[in-house]
Amino acid sequence: MTITSLRIHPHDNVEVALADLSKGDWVNRGSERIRLLDDVPAKHKYAIKDVDVDADIIMYGVLVGKAVAPLQKGMLISTSNIHHASGEYRVSRRKTEWIQPDVSNWENRTFLGYHRTDGSVGTKNYWLLIPLVFCENKNVSLIHETLVKELGYQRERSPYGGLVKALKQRYLDGEIDNLTGYSVDDATHGGLQDKLFANVDGIKLLTHTLGCGGTKDDARTLCGLLAGYITHPNVAGATVLSLGCQNAQIPLLEAEIARRDAQFSKPLYLLEQQRVGNESDLLREAISKTFGGLVIANSYTRRPAPLSRLCLGLECGGSDGFSGISANPALGYASDVLVTLGASVVLSEFPELCGVEQELSDRCVDDDTAGRFVHLMQTYQRRAEAVGSGFDSNPSAGNIRDGLITDAIKSAGAAKKGGTSPVVDVLDYPEKVTKPGLTLLCTPGSDIESTTAEVGAGATVVVFTTGLGTPTGNPITPVVKVSTNTRLYEKMEDIIDLDAGTVIRGEESIEEVGERILEHIVQVASGEVIAKAETGGHDDFIPWKRGISL
């Protein structure tokens, strides 16, 4: 029998439609039958009980809203009849018992990674070009352009470059009547040239708009984030250009590097334009030093490492009403397997943990850790409210259109990425992950800011679940996309790596999809499979300038 709707938790008074349901349809719930009073699109919810005004709306077993109008059983839940609400939370008793998954298929598995002197293992081997202040963006961009072209990392600027060249030639040849009929398939697609340094995966650029003009805390935070990238296991070395007079000074960056790796030994070249003087001299010195660093970086090769050396970032974006019942819990299962194996896992996006704070606080290993989580959540919420906003403003238009009509509904599903394991640590941005197990990292819900922060904290692979499709990646860490529904996977196959829509169709269990995600993680970490975000050139890097970003 086809299941058309799902009650996620026994205490819920709403169900989610797994397919489009029509007004007048009867839905079977065991011995009970509910007649729908409205059309209920797939991913949206309907009441399975009568609900009075101001009564609680419960989903995933937690408070996700309040009724603003009377709801009858079978009625569509929408922004017109409920509004956001979430439960109060505090540091309470510990609830760290959990059922570890069976890891017998994984405990002897390895991945092929780059072993660093600090004991970490990278899944990539990149060289970084970094401006310490936005004034140097042009210079590092010129260095990047020159090196990637001359060293064999140059891709054609667009896969449609061949098409434009062909159209241009047809125009010059006088064929001007039907230029629109040319096929992209007929165009010449350029790939990577032969690389001079075969073991260096690429030369990556981290341009930004910060470094000066903000507060001293802004400068310190930026240097902390950049230090996270420089010391990252996926990075072999870096060249940093400073102007000289900005707030983000070289000694501040060096101090942040030392905080993360006291024995830091990677090749690192720090150049200050106002000391060197002539811009041409600066660029020549930077290029020469970088070339020498690339020779060193090329000496590193992949070697086997246990899965415990992975650090997995958990991310979602363009979420929909299926996120919390397909891709996210499947990723949560994969997270639990990695935690059981001794790996590190990072869950961020604090505005999207609204409503599940008590559960996560209770899962913290001790009161101090729980207290820090509660403090960071409450501080973030107060700052948002101080500028006339709040976590309830987080859902986007796309989220709402596809069934996530309150922040608490969105958050309860988003938190499923973190599985069920205890929370071993809570970090503020841009701190570094130092413990095996599940870590909570304070970041915005904004996809790219959060992914940027997770990688800065040490994530060597990121898995990004999406229900609507989000074309984003990261310069140094593979970002694997998992669709919550098969329609998206088929429609945007160029940016989506895996499909979790099989859960919705009843073809696979959460655990089976989780195992499939983990197998893909291992292949990507070993360099055997390239994430589609990387093949698409999605090198997004947006630092969080500490303020209200939801």
Side-chain angles (χ1 to χ4, degrees), residues 481-501:
K481 299 287 178 49
V482 182
S483 68
T484 71
N485 62 90
T486 302
R487 181 181 180 186
L488 172 65
Y489 178 71
E490 294 173 344
K491 183 173 64 172
M492 303 181 75
E493 52 82 27
D494 58 331
I495 67 169
I496 306 294
D497 299 270
L498 298 171
D499 177 28

Side-chain angles (χ1 to χ4, degrees), residues 202-241:
I203 302 167
K204 296 294 185 174
L205 190 61
L206 302 186
T207 54
H208 55 84
T209 61
L210 305 176
C212 199
T215 67
K216 294 297 177 64
D217 282 343
D218 289 337
R220 186 175 297 105
T221 298
L222 173 65
C223 286
L225 178 68
L226 297 179
Y229 275 72
I230 292 168
T231 60
H232 195 282
N234 291 1
V235 171
T239 302
V240 180
L241 296 192

Side-chain angles (χ1 to χ4, degrees), residues 245-325:
C245 56
Q246 74 277 354
N247 286 335
Q249 289 284 301
I250 287 177
L252 184 56
L253 175 65
E254 291 175 317
E256 292 294 333
I257 290 172
R259 287 181 60 186
R260 288 158 177 78
D261 183 0
Q263 305 299 320
F264 180 77
S265 59
K266 294 177 183 178
L268 174 64
Y269 308 117
L270 305 168
L271 296 104
E272 189 170 290
Q273 184 172 3
Q274 289 172 347
R275 287 188 178 182
V276 174
N278 188 280
E279 188 169 84
S280 176
D281 291 341
L282 174 75
L283 294 174
R284 290 177 181 277
E285 183 178 356
I287 290 172
S288 299
K289 288 182 179 295
T290 300
F291 191 92
L294 288 167
V295 173
I296 299 172
N298 195 51
S299 67
Y300 303 133
T301 58
R302 291 184 182 271
R303 293 187 285 119
L307 300 189
S308 60
R309 305 312 297 160
L310 289 171
C311 182
L312 177 66
L314 311 172
E315 190 63 43
C316 60
S319 299
D320 70 352
F322 287 163
S323 293
I325 58 178

